[in-house]
Amino acid sequence: MPLTTPAILSALTGAWRLARFDRTGMEFFDRTPDGAVNSFYAALVVLPAYALLLAIRLWDQLDGTPVLQLVTVEGIAYVVSWTAFPLALFRIASLLGKEQLYPGALTAYNWSAVVQMGIYLPAILLSASGLLPSGVSEALVFGVMMAMLTYQWFVLRTALSLSGLAAAALVMLDLFLSAAISDLADGML
């Protein structure tokens, strides 16, 4: 079922509040199983920015790679990256006895990607522009990445009522899965 504009705005408000370390952000999400399914619309919201980041990252490889191969490999990788961690999170939430919190956690996790992209994309564009000295550029991107990991940690900790250490382990799992998927896809180009 398609999301309504008010539902999207509510989810983005919740994601923004969580980014400000405001636990009441969870109240803005549809934390039902339907809300969790609908939260994958966030992948469509993020897709144009992701495509731009992909072009920046793979610019040097684009010359010798057929467009169909690039679109197929990276398209599949994008779908896998949006589903791998949620599947792992489902199993982990079940093992921790937190399955009732899973739909809300997945919803918050997915919509938080929109806020993350809204911060990460400008940092990467500024870094790639050459306007900043390389050390400053690298520090900016590193700082933004650390902020995004902290944000993911807060979202998972809040949504699943986890300890800080358990939430950190989930963030590390997500980071590992993302890197593995990206490396595998890049190796196919």
Side-chain angles (χ1 to χ4, degrees), residues 3-30 42 45 107-108 110-115 151 154-155:
L3 278 180
T4 63
T5 300
I8 292 169
L9 293 175
S10 180
L12 293 175
T13 299
W16 177 250
R17 284 184 176 232
L18 288 172
R20 295 174 51 220
F21 299 102
D22 178 357
R23 293 177 183 276
T24 64
M26 290 301 297
E27 297 168 15
F28 291 83
F29 298 111
D30 177 356
V45 175
T107 302
N110 281 346
W111 285 111
S112 72
V114 177
V115 173
Y151 175 40
F154 184 76
V155 167

Side-chain angles (χ1 to χ4, degrees), residues 23 26 31 96-98 100-102 104-105 153-164 166-167 170:
R23 293 177 183 276
M26 290 301 297
R31 292 177 279 169
L96 296 174
K98 307 250 182 200
Q100 75 281 3
L101 297 176
Y102 174 77
W153 171 85
F154 184 76
V155 167
L156 292 169
R157 183 173 188 202
T158 301
L160 289 171
S161 296
L162 295 173
S163 70
L170 286 176

